[in-house]
């Protein structure tokens, strides 16, 4: 039995920064042989936000585990010949260059398909066709134009970006879904195809509940929102749950920046909550007993809950709420997540040895396949696999490899 789901799948990784590398890393975690093709100077993120001198940054290392690296100057004639050979032997090619960049290299989709009719060619861009096509796209730009920022934050404050990288890594996950679907279809048709994913579109897909609420707003105020006033736009609603059951982040002792628990009040949870907060009479009070009665008083309801939670540490609040099956979760900081033993036990916080920087901590594969366990391996050094691939797989000679280096081709 195969040990990995994508064993035998060769991915030509011509991506950089985050959206593309996050996609190809996930493919590598699923067992594909991912060959990262870098310019001789390397992915720019190897040098960005360095914390250890003369070593690849955490930005690069945490997005490029389980890959191999070769260098190639695709602006040279010989480099383009080598890229043609690489495309011919690949199952998947992924790129996230600016619009038109790959075409200017001489590798349009038509040319790529001519070289290898079975290849799945995935492009990640900022935007789809239209007035935004040529805009430069970054994480927060995608959040801004995909609907996330306008609906994140509090009513009396500015739009806010989320700390989750929904524009970059979120788009990478969408790209993986498209690539896997195209590979499956190829099993039936024998033909590859192009996969296009835009960062704006991926963020929009993650914001669909706000589009739902925009349409509901035409029929009146949104009762589950804590806002006092409504216009013809969905308002920013702070920490409201966004679903059918009201939720909020309530303060806990001793009052630090992350001493909060998020609590959701389901109909069946009100009676035990009223007892926990020392107000058991509210369970039978017509002014509080039903969800319909509580909706106009959400701010007051969570104030009453917070008067109780603010006297206890968040882990004690969590324990008491869970004893009554009340949906809740502590706000975990990055420090707490790195130190969480259960995440380490689930291989979601992983220690990896790096030849230059020593041990670093990264995230593990969130996709758990019973027949395809994932081992996170260190990302490649720049050009680490030039000899393996150029000599061992493409059949170039030692002398030619030396001349390619001298000529700046690799």
């Amino acid at each position: 039995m195969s040990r990995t789901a994508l064993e035998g799948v060769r991915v030509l990784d011509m991506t950089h920064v985050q959206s593309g590398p996050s996609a190809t890393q996930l493919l590598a975690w699923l067992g594909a042989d991912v060959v990262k093709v870098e310019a001789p100077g390397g992915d720019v993120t190897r040098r960005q936000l360095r914390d250890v001198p003369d070593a690849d940054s955490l930005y690069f290392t945490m997005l490029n585990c389980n890959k191999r690296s070769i260098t190639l100057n695709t602006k040279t004639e010989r480099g383009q010949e080598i890229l043609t050979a690489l495309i011919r032997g690949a199952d998947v090619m992924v790129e996230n260059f600016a619009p038109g960049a790959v075409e200017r290299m001489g590798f349009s989709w038509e040319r790529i398909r001519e070289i290898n009719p079975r290849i799945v060619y995935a492009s990640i861009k900022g935007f789809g066709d239209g007035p935004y096509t040529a805009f430069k796209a970054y994480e927060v730009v995608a959040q801004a134009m995909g609907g996330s920022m306008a609906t994140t934050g509090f009513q009396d404050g500015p739009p806010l970006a989320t700390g989750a990288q929904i524009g970059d890594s979120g788009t990478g996950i969408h790209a993986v879904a498209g690539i896997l679907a195209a590979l499956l279809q190829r099993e039936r048709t024998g033909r590859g195809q192009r996969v296009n994913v835009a960062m704006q579109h991926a963020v929009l897909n993650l914001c669909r509940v706000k589009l739902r609420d925009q349409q509901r707003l035409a029929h009146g105020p949104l009762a589950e929102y804590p806002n006092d006033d409504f216009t013809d736009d969905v308002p920013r609603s702070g920490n409201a749950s966004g679903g059918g059951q009201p939720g909020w982040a309530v303060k806990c002792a001793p009052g630090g920046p992350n001493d909060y628990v998020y609590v959701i009040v389901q109909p069946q949870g009100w009676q035990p909550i009223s007892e926990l907060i020392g107000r058991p009479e509210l369970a039978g009070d017509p002014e509080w007993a039903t969800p319909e009665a509580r909706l106009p008083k959400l701010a007051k309801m969570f104030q009453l809950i917070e008067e109780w939670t603010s006297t206890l540490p968040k882990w004690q609040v969590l324990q008491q709420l869970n004893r009554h099956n009340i949906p809740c979760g502590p706000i975990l900081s990055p420090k707490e997540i790195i130190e969480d033993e259960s995440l380490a036990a689930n291989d979601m916080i992983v220690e990896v040895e790096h030849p230059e920087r020593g041990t670093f901590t990264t995230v593990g594969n969130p996709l758990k396949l019973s027949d395809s366990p994932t081992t996170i391996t260190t990302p490649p050094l720049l050009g680490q696999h030039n000899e393996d691939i150029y000599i061992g797989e493409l059949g170039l000679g030692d002398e030619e490899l030396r001349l390619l280096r001298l000529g700046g081709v690799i």
Side-chain angles (χ1 to χ4, degrees):
M1 181 181 291
S2 173
R3 287 281 294 169
T4 59
L6 297 182
E7 185 172 319
V9 173
R10 167 67 65 86
V11 177
L12 204 57
D13 179 2
M14 299 189 68
T15 70
H16 58 288
V17 192
Q18 185 178 164
S19 62
S22 66
T24 52
Q25 179 170 256
L26 196 51
L27 294 172
W29 284 344
L30 293 173
D33 175 19
V34 176
V35 178
K36 187 172 180 68
V37 182
E38 301 181 69
D43 186 323
V44 65
T45 59
R46 286 185 182 269
R47 301 178 297 279
Q48 283 187 354
L49 307 176
R50 270 183 172 154
D51 59 319
V52 176
D54 302 318
D56 290 331
S57 71
L58 282 169
Y59 195 171
F60 179 87
T61 58
M62 293 179 71
L63 285 161
N64 290 282
C65 293
N66 294 68
K67 302 179 185 180
R68 299 195 286 168
S69 168
I70 59 175
T71 53
L72 186 64
N73 184 351
T74 58
K75 296 180 180 178
T76 64
E77 183 179 351
R78 185 63 180 127
Q80 292 187 0
E81 292 172 354
I82 292 172
L83 180 57
T84 299
L86 292 168
I87 291 171
R88 191 172 291 121
D91 296 286
V92 178
M93 177 175 169
V94 189
E95 60 89 12
N96 66 329
F97 292 109
V102 178
E103 286 79 4
R104 288 191 293 273
M105 291 180 199
F107 292 90
S108 64
W109 165 230
E110 290 72 23
R111 173 63 181 141
I112 292 169
R113 182 167 51 183
E114 181 182 282
I115 296 167
N116 182 354
R118 287 178 53 83
I119 200 166
V120 172
Y121 174 40
S123 293
I124 297 174
K125 304 300 178 195
F127 307 95
D129 293 335
Y132 313 133
T133 302
F135 284 22
K136 283 191 173 180
Y138 283 80
E139 167 65 44
V140 182
V141 172
Q143 290 192 30
M145 297 182 67
S148 176
M149 287 187 70
T151 53
T152 302
F154 287 84
Q155 186 174 24
D156 57 353
L160 293 177
T162 174
Q165 303 291 286
I166 62 175
D168 275 324
S169 288
T171 305
I173 294 168
H174 282 78
V176 169
I179 290 166
L180 295 180
L183 285 172
L184 181 61
Q185 187 171 355
R186 191 182 71 175
E187 291 298 303
R188 298 192 298 269
T189 67
R191 297 182 58 218
Q193 62 183 295
R194 187 163 188 179
V195 175
N196 287 304
V197 184
M199 295 168 68
Q200 181 191 28
H201 299 172
V203 172
L204 174 57
N205 185 45
L206 298 174
C207 291
R208 67 178 63 197
V209 297
K210 298 303 180 180
L211 268 69
R212 173 202 68 190
D213 291 346
Q214 182 63 47
Q215 295 171 81
R216 293 175 58 232
L217 191 57
H219 303 286
L222 306 172
E224 76 281 5
Y225 278 54
N227 307 65
D228 296 324
D229 302 309
F230 291 86
T231 65
D232 59 354
D233 277 320
V234 172
R236 290 187 277 280
S237 56
N239 288 318
S241 69
Q245 311 298 334
W248 202 255
V250 291
K251 292 179 184 178
C252 301
N258 293 301
D259 288 323
Y260 286 82
V261 166
Y262 196 86
V263 182
I264 292 177
V265 180
Q266 295 176 310
Q268 66 269 31
W270 179 241
Q271 189 270 334
I273 286 175
S274 65
E275 291 183 3
L276 285 171
I277 67 176
R279 299 291 301 274
E281 73 278 4
L282 297 181
D285 185 338
E287 293 294 315
W288 289 94
T290 66
E292 293 75 19
R294 292 191 294 271
L295 274 178
K297 300 188 285 288
L298 290 182
K300 178 63 176 177
M301 180 181 74
F302 285 111
Q303 179 188 335
L304 292 172
I305 295 172
E306 190 171 79
E307 289 173 2
W308 168 66
T309 61
S310 61
T311 66
L312 301 169
K314 64 185 179 184
W315 295 106
Q316 191 170 338
V317 171
L318 182 76
Q319 184 180 44
Q320 294 201 40
L321 290 173
N322 271 298
R323 188 179 300 136
H324 296 280
N325 292 318
I326 296 165
C328 61
I331 307 303
L332 296 182
S333 69
K335 181 177 183 294
E336 289 172 306
I337 285 172
I338 285 178
E339 296 171 351
D340 191 301
E341 293 182 1
S342 68
L343 290 172
N346 280 278
D347 293 324
M348 283 309 304
I349 294 295
V350 183
E351 299 288 323
V352 180
E353 287 291 332
H354 189 275
E356 293 181 344
R357 64 179 299 120
T359 302
F360 70 94
T361 302
T362 190
V363 296
N365 185 1
L367 306 179
K368 309 298 186 185
L369 279 64
S370 61
D371 286 351
S372 302
T374 301
T375 299
I376 308 297
T377 62
T378 195
L381 301 176
L382 180 61
Q384 179 178 339
H385 301 95
N386 279 352
E387 290 188 12
D388 293 348
I389 291 173
Y390 290 139
I391 294 176
E393 297 180 15
L394 293 189
L396 306 185
D398 292 339
E399 177 62 14
E400 183 173 6
L401 200 66
R402 186 182 72 82
L403 294 174
L404 290 175
R405 287 195 183 99
L406 288 175
V409 178
I410 64 171

